[in-house]
Amino acid sequence: MTSTSATSRGPAGVAERRPTRPRTRGRRAAKTIDPGGGFRFFGGKGGVGKTTCAAAAAIGLADAGRRVLVVSTDPAHSLGDALATRLGPRASRIRTRRGQLYAAELDAERALARWLTHRREKLRVIAERGTYLDDQDIERLLRLSLPGVDELIGLIELARVARARPYEDVVVDTAPTGHTLRFLAMPETVQRIAAVLDHMYAKHRFLAERLGGGYRPDPSDALIEEIDAEGRELQALLRDRRRSSFWWVLLPEALSVEEAKDGLRELSRWGMPVGEVVVNRLTPPPDSPCARCGARIRSERVAVRAVRAAFRGRPLRFVAAAAEEPRGLGALRAIGRRLTDASRGEGLLAGPPPRAPRAERRRRPTGRPKEWLGVVSPDAVRLLLFTGKGGVGKTTCAATAALALADQAPARKILLLSTDPAHSLGDVLAVPLGDPARGLPDVSGGLRARELDADREFRRRQARYREAVDQLFAAVRRGTGFDAAFDRAVVQDLMELAPPGIDELLAMLSVTEALVPRDGGAAAYDMVVVDTAPTGHALRLLALPRVALEWVRALLAILLKYRAVIRPGALAQDLVEMSRDLRQLDALLRDGGATRVVVVTHAAALPRLETLRLLERLRELRMAVSAVIVNAVIAPGAPRCRRCAREAGRQRREIGALRSQSSPRLPTGNPLILTPETAPPPRGVRELRRWGVRWMRPDASPGGRAR
């Protein structure tokens, strides 16, 4: 880090007197982040097969005689499920034919605790010498449990685990798109934290130089330099083509292709090297006439043309769908061979796609979605949250439910809101969406849709906070002639120390703004339907109001420590209002009469296992679940090949297992709802409505069995 002066945040007139922070490398060098091998990141939209591809690639590298670590950074880990073994934060040896394979699932909160333990005393010294905080305030900040540290500390922990042994390759199974991009931006966050600490310590350096006749660097300076160096080295690692590459995995579906465009655009902007674009789970030619395979192949060929057009110049790889759900080393090894095949799977696209049979074209479902709608959304519900593993169809299900609710009660004011950082709600509705809510074509009444811009909301609040701080200290300067430049910088920097994920939470406060009347008026909406981020980050968001409330209280308490110098005024009022909104949001989320969660899953082993963990965690959070939607169930009756018949049988078994294993975690009655598989998945208001008519409860079929 270059020397920091007061001009970065403080007013002019003091900068020239502040001693710059000297380099400490000569006295104490920062650890070099070099795992001894290359990093290969697998990322993409949730549910595209990142975990499977990462595990398969790691097995292939190990079988080639290499020493390999495969590690998951997704808060909702499924790497152990894919490898069919139990994993934890410590690397475990996985038996392979050759080479050595180790696997781990990072525990970011434990990693943060470890990181703080070794630096706690120096951080305390920086806060004591650079702020008005006392021991109680400092300890309060240091012990705050911060959901969301997966992005903040995950990459540091990844480098630490990789350093533990001289691995030749480190394969990383990342979180879904939006949070992966934030994870990869973490080096800049680390450097920003170093800058905040540097501002805090600047006052001590200045006073030591002015009153003591000079300043000598101490261990706290070394810590600041260490943190900054760690950020710079991580940033260099990610951009070094010799040490890092990113493999983007997508499905041959329109939504997945659109998200891949956005994700790869961001990677290019950051200078992140991209290895290959993997088009996963292509349907192989059937062994007999099959309406399902034919429809899928035709749909996939359209998506493949879009992939070729969007990613010209990038290496593409096409991987066939496995005949069985790939779990365990044997099945994953076969996927690994497809990831290294020299032909890149181009043979899958040979020959013309099957023609659509006339019967398939003429099919026209009719009816109204009465049967399942009351289960998903009981009458008193005002907030309906759709969550689940990435790629299971949360967005499509949330949009379909919102349309059905609007059609049922056209006068009702409903907001359909996406909080996933990698939005796809506009793609599902086939309507351009942004932060302002807008109406939808062919929808009369009060339904509006919005893709929430969390970063914009955080920047807005951050700018308002900084403006209030500037006004406060300007008033101090006018009244006393004293320019508290150091204190101004510290108070401004407190916003930078907000918990990771606070941007999403502040934006989620729009839910309370939509549902809670203000100033004696009516609420803006009668109901909000939320399309959340995939499991791990949705759970973080649901747990965050209480943590953020503690952070706001700590911020307010710290601000009040300055009341001997300033009068907090409007700034304190802002924080009090934010505290009120957080309490209202937390109360709303845990009100089982007003708020319900709908869990969306697939009839397969990995989604089922993650769904069971999600249901357990929702119960711990005291969140009421109204239904579990099993999405994309193979429709009965159509001609099918042996492969599809076997898959339909597996789906029936998985649905049965889900019903028997989830019943203690769910409300009484039958909460399962089945939705039919379509190729391509439904897009646009008209198709979503037609699809929703075909949703059903398992007890609606003869004998109460899932069809």
Side-chain angles (χ1 to χ4, degrees), residues 139 153 254 262 285 654 699:
E139 185 57 34
I153 209 72
D262 295 337
E654 288 294 340
D699 57 359

Side-chain angles (χ1 to χ4, degrees), residues 673-689:
I673 294 170
L674 310 184
T675 75
E677 178 190 59
T678 65
R683 290 187 71 190
V685 170
R686 182 177 301 179
E687 288 187 20
L688 291 168
R689 278 177 169 147

Side-chain angles (χ1 to χ4, degrees), residues 30 64 97 118 288 340 488 512 527-528 577 591 626 650 672:
R97 293 172 177 171
H118 299 298
S288 61
T340 56
R488 179 203 297 253
T512 60
M527 184 178 191
V528 177
E577 290 177 2
D591 181 349
S626 63
R650 286 194 299 272
L672 284 189

Side-chain angles (χ1 to χ4, degrees), residues 175-351:
T177 306
H179 294 90
T180 293
L181 295 178
R182 286 183 19 169
F183 168 77
L184 296 175
M186 194 273 297
E188 296 177 6
T189 303
V190 174
Q191 291 176 277
R192 194 161 62 247
I193 290 173
V196 170
L197 296 174
D198 193 39
H199 281 147
M200 286 185 175
Y201 214 50
K203 177 188 257 186
H204 168 68
R205 299 191 197 103
F206 174 72
L207 293 175
E209 185 175 80
R210 298 287 289 181
L211 302 178
Y215 177 73
R216 297 182 62 185
D218 61 20
S220 294
D221 288 293
L223 174 62
I224 295 170
E225 174 64 24
E226 176 191 335
I227 294 172
D228 180 66
E230 204 161 36
R232 286 186 282 109
E233 290 175 8
L234 285 169
Q235 191 172 62
L237 168 69
L238 292 176
R239 294 176 178 176
D240 187 344
R241 293 182 177 275
R242 297 168 299 175
R243 295 190 292 165
S244 295
S245 64
F246 205 98
W247 288 43
W248 195 278
V249 186
L250 58 90
L251 296 181
E253 297 174 358
L255 296 186
S256 188
V257 175
E258 290 302 315
E259 190 163 312
K261 290 179 185 178
D262 295 337
L264 288 168
R265 189 181 304 118
E266 285 296 299
L267 292 178
S268 297
R269 186 172 67 84
W270 289 342
M272 178 76 187
V274 177
E276 291 187 352
V277 176
V278 179
V279 183
N280 194 28
R281 296 209 291 263
L282 281 162
T283 302
D287 54 14
S288 61
C290 179
R292 176 176 180 256
C293 285
R296 290 171 67 92
I297 291 171
R298 290 191 298 276
S299 172
E300 290 169 1
R301 292 293 179 89
V302 174
V304 166
R305 287 197 294 271
V307 168
R308 293 192 190 279
F311 307 122
R312 285 191 179 95
R314 292 196 183 277
L316 303 178
R317 180 174 296 277
F318 302 95
V319 177
E324 304 279 345
E325 187 176 6
R327 292 190 68 198
L329 267 64
L332 291 171
R333 186 170 281 115
I335 301 292
R337 287 194 291 269
R338 297 171 194 169
L339 289 172
T340 56
D341 182 16
S343 72
R344 298 184 182 274
E346 289 285 351
L348 288 168
L349 304 172

Side-chain angles (χ1 to χ4, degrees), residues 382-383 508-509 511-519 545-546 549 553 576-591 594-595:
R382 302 175 64 220
L383 177 60
M508 263 289 282
L509 291 179
V511 170
T512 60
E513 294 171 1
L515 293 175
V516 178
R518 296 293 167 89
D519 302 324
R546 294 182 181 181
L549 182 59
R553 287 170 176 165
V576 169
E577 290 177 2
M578 189 186 301
S579 177
R580 177 204 63 198
D581 291 344
L582 288 168
R583 287 195 305 272
Q584 290 177 334
L585 178 59
D586 186 62
L588 178 64
L589 289 173
R590 280 149 188 84
D591 181 349
T595 299

